[in-house]
Amino acid sequence: LTWGNSQHLQGMEEATAVKMIGQGLVDGGVMTQSEGIFVEGCIALVKDSLSLANEAVNEVPPMLGYPLKETAESEAGAKIVEDGFEEIVVAVLKAHSEGELEAAVKE
């Protein structure tokens, strides 16, 4: 049954899945909005691991709780920033907004 549920969720039209999972995140108190680029990004990171749409309520909070500021300010984080991480992030975001990233992933 778990496998079947997972296949159904994975085979669902992307917009429908995002709407259903996004609403589940709102209903579960994880998000305040069920749509938008941030919600879509979170869903994209967990969707493949879900068997049921409501499982996102348990999957997304650990990502949101990641201590990004502390990591960036640490010695190891400083090395990553110094190595040009910002330029990489800017390039990835630009490629995403122009559709190039999605096209590359599909290849």
Side-chain angles (χ1 to χ4, degrees), residues 9 27 34 49 58 86:
L9 187 60
D27 293 345
S34 63
S49 68
N58 296 321
E86 181 177 359

Side-chain angles (χ1 to χ4, degrees), residues 9-91:
L9 187 60
Q10 301 308 317
M12 195 177 284
E13 182 180 311
E14 188 72 20
T16 303
V18 167
K19 185 175 180 178
M20 182 175 21
I21 296 168
Q23 188 58 52
L25 290 169
V26 171
D27 293 345
V30 176
M31 300 280 185
T32 58
Q33 298 179 5
S34 63
E35 299 178 19
I37 193 163
F38 182 75
V39 175
E40 291 171 12
C42 288
I43 292 170
L45 291 172
V46 300
K47 185 176 176 243
D48 290 341
S49 68
L50 303 177
S51 297
L52 300 170
N54 65 353
E55 290 176 347
V57 171
N58 296 321
E59 298 290 325
V60 171
M63 291 187 316
L64 300 177
Y66 184 78
L68 184 60
K69 182 178 181 187
E70 292 83 0
T71 301
E73 292 173 349
S74 71
E75 186 176 331
K79 289 179 185 177
I80 293 170
V81 172
E82 290 169 8
D83 285 344
F85 183 71
E86 181 177 359
E87 291 85 15
I88 294 169
V89 171
V90 169

